[in-house]
Amino acid sequence: MRMYDIIAKKRDGYKLTESEIRYFVDGVTSGEIPDYEISALLMAMFIRGMDDEETSVLTDAMANSGDSVDLSGFGDLSVDKHSTGGVGDKTSLIISPIVAALGCKVAKMSGRGLGHTGGTVDKLESIPGYRTSVSPEEFIGITEKVGLSLVGQSGNMAPADKKLYALRDVTATVNSIPLITSSIMSKKLAAGAKNIVLDVKVGSGAFMKTPEDAESLALSMVNIGKRCGRKVSAVLTDMNTPLGCAVGNSLEVTEAVGVLKGEVHGELRDVCIVLASEMVSLVYGIPEDEAEKKVLDVLDSGAAYEKMKEWISASGGDVSYVENTELFAKAEYEKTVVSPTDGYITGMNAEKIGTASVILGAGREKKSDLIDHSAGIIISAHTGDYVKKGEVLCTLYTNKEKSLDCAERLYLDALELGEKMSEKSPTVYKIIR
Ligand code: URA
């Protein structure tokens, strides 16, 4: 087999065979195929597309290109959730203890933040002592004992995706549905859960800017997951505005604890209830309304909050920070951003707000950057709210005083203010099963 022939075949719009796709992924993983040939095939795949059969072979080959997690000991109870990435998205911190309190097994590997979106691992590391890097035995052991373990990604999961993603990033071939599907689903398959709920974000802060594009991606991922033997569903949720009020690591943990304690309501809690219900419904094969009732029961009884404490403690974290979030170190500098005029907030560009939080120190622009866990933004006024001139829009927190002005400019630039209230986007657009 020759890469030259495979590239020419896809360039001319033909379907690739299973052995051609596996030859390609094997060569990418071993490093035998040069970057220029990989990039040429990626571009041909981007332009010509791939059908479900090709995409599912590509996904399976990438999933098996490195380490995988064996969760077979948990039978049908293992469940994972994946978010396509957002600003202020702390849903994993809330949903995981909810579903674990209902007997599901969550052995979850999460990422770090990069660019304008945050990462669950960084958020958890704001809790002193929490260990995001543990041995595979401990990872499974904590899940067995508590029902939930959440750690960083192992070094050698889906290495073919790592290589392909890095090349897609620099060859303008990221935004292809079969390539995104195989990239995301290969990592989810390698992570081992039988049941997978995908939170596909839609809007200005998301990868997919329109509900139509998000739906196409969701359909493709659900389809491929099923072909690869998993139970999968996708929830299309809004990312036109940051989720909840907090953006930044310990600030987001505080908000997540607030939801579990029953102190925080609104869209964040609503999205978490939908996602958790979907997970419980998949695991136990029960209707969505029955699953939602169970979810509300463990939220209202405090069982999910107790599960969070059990989980944090089993992972080495100092649980007193969960019991009293006032213990989190405060950033040295804070500044309130006020409205320059009267009007309705008609839009909030989540990407710009995420970038403002990065500037304050809450995220990283390069992989090697250090995170300031206390930095970030607390949003006081959201899309749809009416604000008066001088009214507080948000508060910025940082240990880098000089970043305040720039973050303030960016935050104001992210907002659209108008005289008429605009139609608010739905919190949940659609569920695809
Ligand atoms: N996230 C991924 O992991 N892969 C993609 O291709 C896009 C988003």
PDB file of all heavy atoms in Angstrom, residues 15-16 34 84 108 122 152 181 200 220 228 258 296-297 304 310 343 349 363 365 374 407 419:
ATOM      1  N   LYS A  15     -14.308   6.368  -1.895  1.00  0.00           N
ATOM      2  CA  LYS A  15     -14.373   5.904  -0.507  1.00  0.00           C
ATOM      3  C   LYS A  15     -13.133   5.069  -0.192  1.00  0.00           C
ATOM      4  O   LYS A  15     -12.733   4.209  -0.998  1.00  0.00           O
ATOM      5  CB  LYS A  15     -15.645   5.067  -0.365  1.00  0.00           C
ATOM      6  CG  LYS A  15     -15.833   4.448   0.970  1.00  0.00           C
ATOM      7  CD  LYS A  15     -17.235   3.846   1.044  1.00  0.00           C
ATOM      8  CE  LYS A  15     -17.326   3.007   2.314  1.00  0.00           C
ATOM      9  NZ  LYS A  15     -18.712   2.712   2.640  1.00  0.00           N
ATOM     10  N   LEU A  16     -12.537   5.301   0.978  1.00  0.00           N
ATOM     11  CA  LEU A  16     -11.354   4.518   1.362  1.00  0.00           C
ATOM     12  C   LEU A  16     -11.790   3.206   2.016  1.00  0.00           C
ATOM     13  O   LEU A  16     -12.828   3.140   2.669  1.00  0.00           O
ATOM     14  CB  LEU A  16     -10.475   5.314   2.338  1.00  0.00           C
ATOM     15  CG  LEU A  16      -9.910   6.639   1.805  1.00  0.00           C
ATOM     16  CD1 LEU A  16      -9.057   7.330   2.883  1.00  0.00           C
ATOM     17  CD2 LEU A  16      -9.072   6.426   0.542  1.00  0.00           C
ATOM     18  N   PRO A  34       5.323  10.828   6.542  1.00  0.00           N
ATOM     19  CA  PRO A  34       5.746  12.220   6.746  1.00  0.00           C
ATOM     20  C   PRO A  34       4.558  13.180   6.851  1.00  0.00           C
ATOM     21  O   PRO A  34       3.473  12.902   6.319  1.00  0.00           O
ATOM     22  CB  PRO A  34       6.586  12.530   5.502  1.00  0.00           C
ATOM     23  CG  PRO A  34       6.240  11.484   4.509  1.00  0.00           C
ATOM     24  CD  PRO A  34       5.721  10.277   5.240  1.00  0.00           C
ATOM     25  N   THR A  84     -17.958  19.942  24.223  1.00  0.00           N
ATOM     26  CA  THR A  84     -17.111  20.418  23.125  1.00  0.00           C
ATOM     27  C   THR A  84     -16.408  21.723  23.521  1.00  0.00           C
ATOM     28  O   THR A  84     -15.684  22.292  22.724  1.00  0.00           O
ATOM     29  CB  THR A  84     -17.921  20.598  21.813  1.00  0.00           C
ATOM     30  OG1 THR A  84     -19.020  21.462  22.080  1.00  0.00           O
ATOM     31  CG2 THR A  84     -18.429  19.282  21.285  1.00  0.00           C
ATOM     32  N   LYS A 108     -13.430   9.431  35.014  1.00  0.00           N
ATOM     33  CA  LYS A 108     -13.397  10.445  33.963  1.00  0.00           C
ATOM     34  C   LYS A 108     -12.029  11.089  33.818  1.00  0.00           C
ATOM     35  O   LYS A 108     -11.403  11.466  34.809  1.00  0.00           O
ATOM     36  CB  LYS A 108     -14.448  11.510  34.319  1.00  0.00           C
ATOM     37  CG  LYS A 108     -14.647  12.554  33.268  1.00  0.00           C
ATOM     38  CD  LYS A 108     -15.936  13.304  33.489  1.00  0.00           C
ATOM     39  CE  LYS A 108     -16.030  14.474  32.530  1.00  0.00           C
ATOM     40  NZ  LYS A 108     -15.766  14.111  31.123  1.00  0.00           N
ATOM     41  N   ASP A 122      -7.813  21.953  35.708  1.00  0.00           N
ATOM     42  CA  ASP A 122      -7.322  23.196  36.335  1.00  0.00           C
ATOM     43  C   ASP A 122      -8.248  23.629  37.469  1.00  0.00           C
ATOM     44  O   ASP A 122      -7.799  24.106  38.510  1.00  0.00           O
ATOM     45  CB  ASP A 122      -7.262  24.338  35.317  1.00  0.00           C
ATOM     46  CG  ASP A 122      -6.231  24.080  34.233  1.00  0.00           C
ATOM     47  OD1 ASP A 122      -5.195  23.483  34.554  1.00  0.00           O
ATOM     48  OD2 ASP A 122      -6.481  24.469  33.081  1.00  0.00           O
ATOM     49  N   GLY A 152      -6.498  13.921  35.155  1.00  0.00           N
ATOM     50  CA  GLY A 152      -6.040  14.438  33.872  1.00  0.00           C
ATOM     51  C   GLY A 152      -5.846  13.296  32.880  1.00  0.00           C
ATOM     52  O   GLY A 152      -5.799  12.121  33.270  1.00  0.00           O
ATOM     53  N   THR A 181     -15.457  14.483  14.566  1.00  0.00           N
ATOM     54  CA  THR A 181     -16.094  13.294  15.151  1.00  0.00           C
ATOM     55  C   THR A 181     -15.053  12.250  15.541  1.00  0.00           C
ATOM     56  O   THR A 181     -15.050  11.734  16.659  1.00  0.00           O
ATOM     57  CB  THR A 181     -17.074  12.667  14.126  1.00  0.00           C
ATOM     58  OG1 THR A 181     -18.097  13.622  13.870  1.00  0.00           O
ATOM     59  CG2 THR A 181     -17.699  11.398  14.652  1.00  0.00           C
ATOM     60  N   VAL A 200     -22.892  19.255  23.296  1.00  0.00           N
ATOM     61  CA  VAL A 200     -22.406  19.976  22.115  1.00  0.00           C
ATOM     62  C   VAL A 200     -22.829  21.439  22.250  1.00  0.00           C
ATOM     63  O   VAL A 200     -24.015  21.767  22.232  1.00  0.00           O
ATOM     64  CB  VAL A 200     -22.966  19.356  20.815  1.00  0.00           C
ATOM     65  CG1 VAL A 200     -22.441  20.093  19.597  1.00  0.00           C
ATOM     66  CG2 VAL A 200     -22.588  17.881  20.738  1.00  0.00           C
ATOM     67  N   SER A 220     -23.509  13.059  13.876  1.00  0.00           N
ATOM     68  CA  SER A 220     -22.371  12.255  13.431  1.00  0.00           C
ATOM     69  C   SER A 220     -21.722  11.543  14.620  1.00  0.00           C
ATOM     70  O   SER A 220     -21.442  10.340  14.568  1.00  0.00           O
ATOM     71  CB  SER A 220     -21.374  13.182  12.713  1.00  0.00           C
ATOM     72  OG  SER A 220     -20.150  12.547  12.542  1.00  0.00           O
ATOM     73  N   CYS A 228     -19.672   2.005  17.165  1.00  0.00           N
ATOM     74  CA  CYS A 228     -18.521   1.466  17.894  1.00  0.00           C
ATOM     75  C   CYS A 228     -18.956   0.809  19.209  1.00  0.00           C
ATOM     76  O   CYS A 228     -18.142   0.581  20.104  1.00  0.00           O
ATOM     77  CB  CYS A 228     -17.486   2.564  18.140  1.00  0.00           C
ATOM     78  SG  CYS A 228     -16.738   3.188  16.615  1.00  0.00           S
ATOM     79  N   GLY A 258     -22.062  25.684  45.105  1.00  0.00           N
ATOM     80  CA  GLY A 258     -23.319  26.386  45.367  1.00  0.00           C
ATOM     81  C   GLY A 258     -24.511  25.657  44.749  1.00  0.00           C
ATOM     82  O   GLY A 258     -25.582  25.557  45.359  1.00  0.00           O
ATOM     83  N   LEU A 296     -33.198  15.186  40.637  1.00  0.00           N
ATOM     84  CA  LEU A 296     -33.685  16.234  41.550  1.00  0.00           C
ATOM     85  C   LEU A 296     -33.678  15.743  42.996  1.00  0.00           C
ATOM     86  O   LEU A 296     -33.349  16.493  43.910  1.00  0.00           O
ATOM     87  CB  LEU A 296     -35.088  16.683  41.130  1.00  0.00           C
ATOM     88  CG  LEU A 296     -35.139  17.443  39.790  1.00  0.00           C
ATOM     89  CD1 LEU A 296     -36.579  17.709  39.370  1.00  0.00           C
ATOM     90  CD2 LEU A 296     -34.377  18.772  39.885  1.00  0.00           C
ATOM     91  N   ASP A 297     -33.977  14.454  43.180  1.00  0.00           N
ATOM     92  CA  ASP A 297     -33.977  13.895  44.542  1.00  0.00           C
ATOM     93  C   ASP A 297     -32.596  14.016  45.192  1.00  0.00           C
ATOM     94  O   ASP A 297     -32.483  14.446  46.333  1.00  0.00           O
ATOM     95  CB  ASP A 297     -34.369  12.404  44.514  1.00  0.00           C
ATOM     96  CG  ASP A 297     -35.876  12.228  44.374  1.00  0.00           C
ATOM     97  OD1 ASP A 297     -36.600  13.239  44.524  1.00  0.00           O
ATOM     98  OD2 ASP A 297     -36.317  11.095  44.107  1.00  0.00           O
ATOM     99  N   ALA A 304     -26.009  14.549  46.588  1.00  0.00           N
ATOM    100  CA  ALA A 304     -25.001  14.859  45.568  1.00  0.00           C
ATOM    101  C   ALA A 304     -23.880  15.712  46.164  1.00  0.00           C
ATOM    102  O   ALA A 304     -22.696  15.523  45.855  1.00  0.00           O
ATOM    103  CB  ALA A 304     -25.657  15.579  44.380  1.00  0.00           C
ATOM    104  N   GLU A 310     -17.132  13.415  49.450  1.00  0.00           N
ATOM    105  CA  GLU A 310     -16.504  12.084  49.515  1.00  0.00           C
ATOM    106  C   GLU A 310     -15.463  11.943  48.404  1.00  0.00           C
ATOM    107  O   GLU A 310     -14.349  11.457  48.604  1.00  0.00           O
ATOM    108  CB  GLU A 310     -17.638  11.074  49.314  1.00  0.00           C
ATOM    109  CG  GLU A 310     -17.457   9.733  49.976  1.00  0.00           C
ATOM    110  CD  GLU A 310     -18.612   8.799  49.550  1.00  0.00           C
ATOM    111  OE1 GLU A 310     -19.769   9.257  49.454  1.00  0.00           O
ATOM    112  OE2 GLU A 310     -18.330   7.638  49.279  1.00  0.00           O
ATOM    113  N   GLY A 343     -29.522  50.324  29.062  1.00  0.00           N
ATOM    114  CA  GLY A 343     -29.981  49.472  27.962  1.00  0.00           C
ATOM    115  C   GLY A 343     -30.063  47.999  28.326  1.00  0.00           C
ATOM    116  O   GLY A 343     -29.696  47.593  29.442  1.00  0.00           O
ATOM    117  N   ASN A 349     -20.310  38.117  23.976  1.00  0.00           N
ATOM    118  CA  ASN A 349     -19.435  37.228  23.225  1.00  0.00           C
ATOM    119  C   ASN A 349     -18.603  36.404  24.206  1.00  0.00           C
ATOM    120  O   ASN A 349     -17.676  36.894  24.840  1.00  0.00           O
ATOM    121  CB  ASN A 349     -18.545  38.062  22.311  1.00  0.00           C
ATOM    122  CG  ASN A 349     -17.665  37.209  21.447  1.00  0.00           C
ATOM    123  OD1 ASN A 349     -16.969  36.336  21.944  1.00  0.00           O
ATOM    124  ND2 ASN A 349     -17.706  37.448  20.154  1.00  0.00           N
ATOM    125  N   GLY A 363      -6.352  31.488  32.746  1.00  0.00           N
ATOM    126  CA  GLY A 363      -6.122  30.448  31.744  1.00  0.00           C
ATOM    127  C   GLY A 363      -4.732  30.586  31.167  1.00  0.00           C
ATOM    128  O   GLY A 363      -3.934  31.393  31.636  1.00  0.00           O
ATOM    129  N   GLU A 365      -2.292  30.880  27.565  1.00  0.00           N
ATOM    130  CA  GLU A 365      -2.245  31.079  26.115  1.00  0.00           C
ATOM    131  C   GLU A 365      -1.342  30.028  25.486  1.00  0.00           C
ATOM    132  O   GLU A 365      -1.552  29.595  24.375  1.00  0.00           O
ATOM    133  CB  GLU A 365      -1.778  32.495  25.808  1.00  0.00           C
ATOM    134  CG  GLU A 365      -2.927  33.478  26.030  1.00  0.00           C
ATOM    135  CD  GLU A 365      -2.500  34.921  26.150  1.00  0.00           C
ATOM    136  OE1 GLU A 365      -2.165  35.361  27.260  1.00  0.00           O
ATOM    137  OE2 GLU A 365      -2.525  35.605  25.123  1.00  0.00           O
ATOM    138  N   SER A 374      -6.969  31.899  41.514  1.00  0.00           N
ATOM    139  CA  SER A 374      -7.919  32.843  42.114  1.00  0.00           C
ATOM    140  C   SER A 374      -8.412  33.893  41.107  1.00  0.00           C
ATOM    141  O   SER A 374      -9.331  34.652  41.401  1.00  0.00           O
ATOM    142  CB  SER A 374      -7.260  33.556  43.295  1.00  0.00           C
ATOM    143  OG  SER A 374      -6.160  34.316  42.829  1.00  0.00           O
ATOM    144  N   ALA A 407      -8.420  43.712  30.432  1.00  0.00           N
ATOM    145  CA  ALA A 407      -9.554  42.777  30.597  1.00  0.00           C
ATOM    146  C   ALA A 407     -10.865  43.557  30.609  1.00  0.00           C
ATOM    147  O   ALA A 407     -11.867  43.106  30.047  1.00  0.00           O
ATOM    148  CB  ALA A 407      -9.373  41.984  31.889  1.00  0.00           C
ATOM    149  N   GLU A 419     -31.491  49.074  22.900  1.00  0.00           N
ATOM    150  CA  GLU A 419     -32.687  49.645  23.542  1.00  0.00           C
ATOM    151  C   GLU A 419     -33.799  48.620  23.681  1.00  0.00           C
ATOM    152  O   GLU A 419     -34.664  48.719  24.524  1.00  0.00           O
ATOM    153  CB  GLU A 419     -33.193  50.836  22.733  1.00  0.00           C
ATOM    154  CG  GLU A 419     -32.329  52.052  22.983  1.00  0.00           C
ATOM    155  CD  GLU A 419     -32.693  53.205  22.080  1.00  0.00           C
ATOM    156  OE1 GLU A 419     -33.800  53.178  21.504  1.00  0.00           O
ATOM    157  OE2 GLU A 419     -31.863  54.115  21.957  1.00  0.00           O
TER     158      GLU A 419
END
